[in-house]
Amino acid sequence: MATVLICRRFPRLSRVSTFLTTAKCKAESGSNKSKQKKEENPETAITGTESAATIQLLNPLDYRVSYNPSAYAKSRAASQQHAARNSGQALGDTFTSPGTAQVQHTFGTASSQALPPIRDALPKPKSKPVLAQTMSALVSAAQTKEEAEKEKTEMHDSKEDPRVFQKGRPEYRSLSYDKFEPIETLPLEEGDSILHSVAVCKGSQSPGTITDYFRKLSRLPVEQHTALVSELRFNTLCRCAVKNIRLFSTSDLIDILKACVRLVVPPTHPLLNACENEFCRRVWDMNLDQLLLVADCWRCLERSVPSYLSILFSYANMHWKDLTLPQFVQLIYIIGEGRRSPADLTQKMESTILKYLDSFTLEEVGAVCLGLFKSLSGISDHIMRKIADRVSMQMEDMSTYALVNVLKMLRYSRMDHLPVMKELGKVIPARIPTINIQGIMHITLTCSSLHYFDEGIMAAVAMSLPSKVTYCRSKDAAKFLWSFGCLDYEPPNEEEFYSSLIEQMHRKLHEFRKFPEHLLTGLLGLAFVKRFPEELIDYALRDEFVQKTRSSKYELKKDLFTLSKSVEIECPSYQGNRLPPQLYEEVTEMVLNFAEQEIYVRPEIVEAVSLLQSMLGGPEYVKNHMILPHTRSSDLEVHLAMDGHPIPFNLKDPIADKKLKDIGVSLTDDLMTQLIKGRSNNRFPVEVENAAGTPCQGRGEEARTPRVGDRAALSGGPLTADARLQVEPKLERCLQAPPSLTLNRKPQGVKLAIQVSNRNHYCYCSKRLLGLHCLKRRQLRQLGYVVVELPFWEWFPLLRRTRLEKLSYLHYKVFDPALLSWAG
């Protein structure tokens, strides 16, 4: 067999991804010509009904994951070890211990999948055909077993996995349908006899007999169910049931519905239509256990029943105080699977969560969080913090699936619960190799959404992902790229990590036609870390794709704008598609309008603009605007001559057209000496709280922006909404640049882009800049600007200090001699 190696190289990706294709070849020997077909089964990703591609990525198998039958792994052994400590833990966990998961390193040998198949080697001596066949069989068996184990590990059953909590208490047996409950199989002969009776009697059976027939037929072997449902005589039985629907007792009607679940009757079947109508009519005559059981059966049948659920929620609202713990958790599960949140139950749900929180098993805590997350039910910070407090203390005992559900709700609530995130950094890295790809994605996305950087978690994800990448949906690949880019983290295996994900994006290109937001999410994450795969970008900016983004439920024009402008600045050689000029204008106007209403008027920015104008000589020396509108944050632009003097440039400002009086600041001799001579330790001449500490403390009272009245007191006079345009007539002259900035060179000028940062520009409790703001500063420098930052941990505390202290700080920042030397 001939093998062909095809290489593709991406910008900034030094690693070459190798692909393998096979070609048919003919072997001829002597006068006897025989054709030998050589075929290979390429490694395929288990992604729904996708077929195997003829070109595929060969993933290195340096990291092998041991078999884990659970979607999100947790050890049965670990659960048993902790049972004494946590008697409330759900029973029946069938997990593989993260502590015992073996990460196997392969040294010195290549993957068997990367080697030529044994049967394609040169002809072997006739004396060894058995050995060759044995080796080939062993290799094939090993590959098949490993792939099967990997597939089982990665499979996620969206219907069954959320129901794990139901195994924790016997009470759930009366509230939910258990398809794994052992039943005695009905012989085929007896099933045929029942169908024969139905055909003969033609609907004359009693309701009790009809119910009994349904019960028995549902016990036929599973492989017979599909044929049975399409059987004419079974449809006759269903018509009999519909005809007598009001004659059945409630328990018999529930048994018929359970039989339909076991037989996997299609959700649109006429019998189910009749059952739904009848159950809606009987709601007020049923007890809550029956109502919840019927709702659970509808979920198992994947039938949407909004009318029934609406009545169920009304019933629960009237009997709220009577809800037992299992009934409450099952109700939250039903609410989540129905994807709707009854507004009148929100406050009652919170009080009940608080009531039962200490009694919940850890699986039930996860189930409650998942139900709230799926139904988009917002809960108070107080309740969410209580849940997080409990999880942070028992995280080691918690299954990863339940933990991920809590993280989803934590992410949705935007809650910065530091104990949970710190404990996550201790517990989760060791589990990563045993968690399926969707679980890993949610963990990673939680970290990025909460702006929390933990290198241990991110490195573990990066090392585990390349071998799992073919199991990524388009959404998963995009979220991984976004999360790593958002946190500006490039792992030790960055080339392998990014190459594998970009290749997966190529493989999933067809999915982006339906979910365009995922492609833009992934490409923006790559742009944050200065990676621009041109083929994907060209596809994202073509007219056809741009039109698809308009039909998305998300607003994607700003993302397209950010991507296209970033490519324009950072990839000057790019020759692919670009956004049309009218779209640029439309989005620019949208972004600038938002900035005028929400960004330019922020107190910390208004104060900086006003003080800079006073210090430099007026509004024509400072421009508060977006130098790069696609980065969606403002800049204070200042121009300096190379001799250190400010240059007026903001001449279009309407205020600048007015004749301004000479302005300046009144300075003491001591402060003037400090400003002109500078300070030997290169620190601003104010003792700022938290300057040497971490920005985590900036979330406290000292770092909050003062109210308008407070700022008026700080600046020694009234501050109105347009305070940034005020000047003080009593001041006689402008501040001059220190003599040290006057350089013996031809004046050329320096453009400063002053950034008034806030906590949302940084990772939580750190001074690690987020990816979007790294991109912005990188592009500003590329366009010739010198970036100067007023970091929030310095500037926000200064807003409470005197006007002269703030002016001194700004003077120190703007007239730093190093700025001119860098520009020169």
Side-chain angles (χ1 to χ4, degrees):
M1 170 162 314
T3 59
V4 181
L5 294 179
I6 301 176
C7 301
R8 177 178 300 181
R9 188 177 296 275
F10 296 95
R12 276 202 69 199
L13 299 181
S14 61
R15 185 176 75 87
V16 177
S17 299
T18 305
F19 298 81
L20 181 65
T21 62
T22 61
K24 295 179 181 178
C25 59
K26 299 179 181 180
E28 299 183 2
S29 59
S31 61
N32 184 18
K33 298 179 181 180
S34 60
K35 297 181 181 180
Q36 298 177 342
K37 288 187 177 181
K38 308 293 183 179
E39 297 180 353
E40 284 189 53
N41 294 325
E43 180 184 345
T44 57
I46 309 303
T47 53
T49 59
E50 293 182 40
S51 59
T54 56
I55 296 179
Q56 64 181 21
L57 178 65
L58 290 181
N59 294 310
L61 298 181
D62 294 339
Y63 295 86
R64 297 178 181 172
V65 183
S66 59
Y67 169 63
N68 179 357
S70 173
Y72 299 96
K74 175 71 170 71
S75 142
R76 177 193 294 272
S79 296
Q80 292 173 346
Q81 291 170 5
H82 292 301
R85 299 201 305 267
N86 179 29
S87 58
Q89 172 65 36
L91 303 177
D93 282 351
T94 55
F95 302 107
T96 301
S97 170
T100 60
Q102 299 294 323
V103 181
Q104 301 173 359
H105 296 271
T106 305
F107 298 99
T109 59
S111 164
S112 59
Q113 295 177 1
L115 294 174
I118 293 176
R119 64 172 181 252
D120 291 337
L122 293 174
K124 296 178 175 59
K126 294 183 179 180
S127 59
K128 297 184 180 180
V130 177
L131 176 60
Q133 293 175 9
T134 303
M135 292 176 64
S136 178
L138 288 174
V139 171
S140 299
Q143 290 178 353
T144 302
K145 182 178 179 181
E146 182 176 353
E147 290 172 2
E149 290 177 350
K150 203 171 195 179
E151 178 183 342
K152 289 180 180 179
T153 303
E154 295 300 327
M155 290 301 290
H156 168 62
D157 190 336
S158 60
K159 284 177 61 178
E160 287 302 319
D161 290 342
R163 302 166 66 85
V164 175
F165 73 93
Q166 294 171 349
K167 300 177 181 179
R169 297 180 190 270
E171 294 92 333
Y172 288 112
R173 294 173 188 169
S174 62
L175 307 175
S176 60
Y177 175 83
D178 184 4
K179 75 175 186 179
F180 299 108
E181 180 183 0
I183 57 173
E184 183 181 352
T185 303
L186 185 77
L188 294 178
E189 296 79 8
E190 189 172 346
D192 189 65
S193 175
I194 292 173
L195 293 175
H196 178 72
S197 299
V198 171
V200 171
C201 296
K202 296 182 179 180
S204 61
Q205 297 92 341
S206 66
T209 301
I210 294 173
T211 303
D212 189 54
Y213 283 172
F214 272 103
R215 291 192 194 104
K216 289 181 177 179
L217 289 174
S218 68
R219 289 163 39 208
L220 283 170
V222 174
E223 57 269 17
Q224 301 295 323
H225 289 180
T226 301
L228 174 66
V229 172
S230 60
E231 166 74 50
L232 182 61
R233 292 173 294 178
F234 179 76
N235 286 328
T236 300
L237 180 63
C238 291
R239 286 195 296 271
C240 292
V242 172
K243 180 180 178 181
N244 296 280
I245 196 76
R246 294 203 173 187
L247 301 179
F248 292 105
S249 68
T250 299
S251 60
D252 284 347
L253 198 59
I254 291 175
D255 283 347
I256 292 176
L257 188 63
K258 291 168 71 174
C260 290
V261 175
R262 193 173 293 116
L263 292 170
V264 195
V265 173
T268 57
H269 197 283
L271 175 59
L272 298 184
N273 295 337
C275 286
E276 180 185 353
N277 292 334
E278 185 62 19
F279 278 122
C280 286
R281 192 182 68 84
R282 297 189 187 196
V283 163
W284 300 103
D285 297 324
M286 297 165 63
N287 60 51
L288 189 56
D289 281 11
Q290 291 175 322
L291 293 173
L292 291 172
L293 174 57
V294 170
D296 198 64
C297 289
W298 292 132
R299 168 57 188 151
C300 294
L301 287 162
E302 297 187 346
R303 179 181 171 94
S304 177
V305 287
S307 297
Y308 179 83
L309 291 181
S310 180
I311 301 173
L312 167 62
F313 297 153
S314 297
Y315 184 102
N317 192 32
M318 292 182 62
H319 299 83
W320 194 263
K321 293 183 179 180
D322 301 327
L323 285 179
T324 64
L325 186 153
Q327 288 175 336
F328 172 71
V329 177
Q330 181 69 14
L331 178 64
I332 296 293
Y333 164 75
I334 295 297
I335 289 173
E337 297 306 305
R339 301 301 199 277
R340 53 175 302 193
S341 175
D344 56 339
L345 294 183
T346 302
Q347 187 173 354
K348 294 179 179 179
M349 284 193 295
E350 288 197 2
S351 63
T352 309
I353 290 173
L354 203 57
K355 174 183 176 182
Y356 289 130
L357 182 57
D358 292 335
S359 301
F360 287 147
T361 66
L362 293 174
E363 289 298 330
E364 286 171 334
V365 172
V368 168
C369 286
L370 182 61
L372 295 173
F373 176 78
K374 284 185 173 182
S375 62
L376 302 180
S377 302
I379 59 173
S380 66
D381 287 351
H382 173 67
I383 300 297
M384 191 65 237
R385 197 165 294 281
K386 287 284 187 181
I387 294 174
D389 287 342
R390 181 177 174 193
V391 169
S392 66
M393 293 185 292
Q394 295 181 283
M395 192 176 294
E396 287 187 3
D397 303 340
M398 202 168 194
S399 74
T400 307
Y401 183 76
L403 175 57
V404 167
N405 292 336
V406 174
L407 294 179
K408 289 178 182 178
M409 197 58 199
L410 203 66
R411 185 175 83 223
Y412 179 73
S413 302
R414 304 294 300 176
M415 176 166 290
D416 49 351
H417 194 281
L418 196 56
V420 162
M421 302 310 293
K422 285 185 174 180
E423 192 66 19
L424 192 71
K426 298 176 184 177
V427 171
I428 216 63
R431 295 191 191 183
I432 290 294
T434 64
I435 305 174
N436 82 344
I437 203 70
Q438 292 185 38
I440 297 175
M441 181 273 287
H442 281 296
I443 292 168
T444 310
L445 185 60
T446 297
C447 290
S448 65
S449 296
L450 298 179
H451 297 172
Y452 184 82
F453 176 73
D454 184 293
E455 188 168 9
I457 296 175
M458 302 303 287
V461 170
M463 297 305 294
S464 180
L465 192 136
S467 64
K468 296 170 172 276
V469 75
T470 53
Y471 294 95
C472 283
R473 302 166 298 173
S474 57
K475 175 181 179 179
D476 299 324
K479 297 297 186 183
F480 279 122
L481 290 172
W482 169 266
S483 297
F484 276 72
C486 176
L487 297 176
D488 191 39
Y489 178 63
E490 299 202 17
N493 64 332
E494 60 176 299
E495 299 303 337
E496 180 187 28
F497 173 80
Y498 281 111
S499 294
S500 63
L501 280 172
I502 291 173
E503 286 300 334
Q504 186 67 0
M505 296 278 280
H506 276 275
R507 282 192 288 264
K508 296 295 183 181
L509 203 58
H510 62 282
E511 293 185 14
F512 295 128
R513 298 187 185 100
K514 186 176 180 181
F515 304 106
E517 62 273 11
H518 296 332
L519 179 58
L520 294 179
T521 294
L523 290 177
L524 285 176
L526 286 166
F528 292 163
V529 290
K530 205 175 181 181
R531 293 174 185 266
F532 298 92
E534 292 192 5
E535 291 181 13
L536 293 175
I537 292 170
D538 180 67
Y539 180 85
L541 298 182
R542 66 174 56 174
D543 291 340
E544 178 186 356
F545 185 83
V546 172
Q547 289 302 319
K548 288 185 180 297
T549 64
R550 295 183 182 274
S551 60
S552 171
K553 62 180 179 180
Y554 302 100
E555 172 54 68
L556 300 177
K557 286 187 289 188
K558 290 188 287 187
D559 289 343
L560 284 167
F561 183 49
T562 300
L563 177 65
S564 186
K565 279 296 185 181
S566 294
V567 171
E568 184 179 309
I569 294 171
E570 301 202 55
C571 303
S573 61
Y574 172 75
Q575 298 296 321
N577 287 303
R578 297 182 185 274
L579 292 182
Q582 60 268 26
L583 186 57
Y584 276 146
E585 295 173 4
E586 177 186 346
V587 183
T588 300
E589 183 179 359
M590 179 196 311
V591 171
L592 294 180
N593 287 339
F594 173 80
E596 289 177 358
Q597 299 174 21
E598 301 291 338
I599 299 179
Y600 300 156
V601 295
R602 289 176 180 167
E604 67 272 17
I605 294 177
V606 170
E607 185 80 348
V609 171
S610 176
L611 291 167
L612 284 170
Q613 289 175 351
S614 298
M615 185 176 77
L616 299 176
E620 69 268 33
Y621 291 92
V622 183
K623 187 173 184 179
N624 179 16
H625 69 133
M626 289 183 172
I627 299 175
L628 302 176
H630 65 278
T631 62
R632 312 174 201 178
S633 56
S634 69
D635 314 271
L636 308 184
E637 186 172 355
V638 171
H639 291 187
L640 298 178
M642 291 307 294
D643 61 1
H645 286 80
I647 301 173
F649 70 98
N650 189 23
L651 303 179
K652 293 183 180 180
D653 192 308
I655 301 298
D657 295 335
K658 300 179 181 179
K659 185 177 181 180
L660 297 173
K661 298 180 180 180
D662 291 337
I663 59 174
V665 291
S666 300
L667 301 173
T668 63
D669 292 339
D670 180 60
L671 185 55
M672 178 61 81
T673 300
Q674 292 184 31
L675 291 175
I676 294 177
K677 293 184 178 181
R679 294 176 64 87
S680 58
N681 60 0
N682 283 333
R683 287 179 57 84
F684 51 90
V686 186
E687 200 172 325
V688 180
E689 296 170 358
N690 296 333
T694 66
C696 181
Q697 297 169 342
R699 292 178 177 259
E701 195 67 33
E702 281 71 28
R704 294 178 185 165
T705 305
R707 296 184 297 273
V708 174
D710 296 331
R711 287 186 285 107
L714 288 173
S715 55
L719 278 179
T720 61
D722 58 347
R724 63 184 185 281
L725 303 178
Q726 287 185 340
V727 294
E728 298 186 13
K730 67 177 182 178
L731 304 176
E732 296 180 354
R733 61 187 181 85
C734 301
L735 277 175
Q736 299 296 318
S740 59
L741 291 184
T742 304
L743 307 178
N744 295 324
R745 66 175 71 182
K746 182 179 179 179
Q748 295 175 351
V750 179
K751 295 186 295 183
L752 303 184
I754 301 174
Q755 313 288 299
V756 183
S757 66
N758 60 57
R759 291 186 296 274
N760 289 333
H761 294 181
Y762 289 86
C763 292
Y764 180 57
C765 284
S766 79
K767 297 180 182 179
R768 184 187 189 88
L769 203 62
L770 293 173
L772 175 61
H773 302 285
C774 289
L775 172 143
K776 174 184 177 178
R777 298 186 188 192
R778 186 175 71 232
Q779 292 180 3
L780 283 172
R781 294 186 187 100
Q782 195 158 340
L783 294 176
Y785 285 87
V786 175
V787 177
V788 176
E789 182 182 11
L790 309 184
F792 73 89
W793 57 87
E794 294 177 356
W795 181 240
F796 278 33
L798 268 175
L799 295 175
R800 296 177 176 275
R801 310 298 282 264
T802 66
R803 178 180 176 83
L804 292 182
E805 287 174 317
K806 286 179 280 192
L807 284 169
S808 173
Y809 173 74
L810 290 175
H811 192 276
Y812 162 79
K813 285 286 189 178
V814 172
F815 294 115
D816 184 350
L819 299 181
L820 297 179
S821 63
W822 292 337

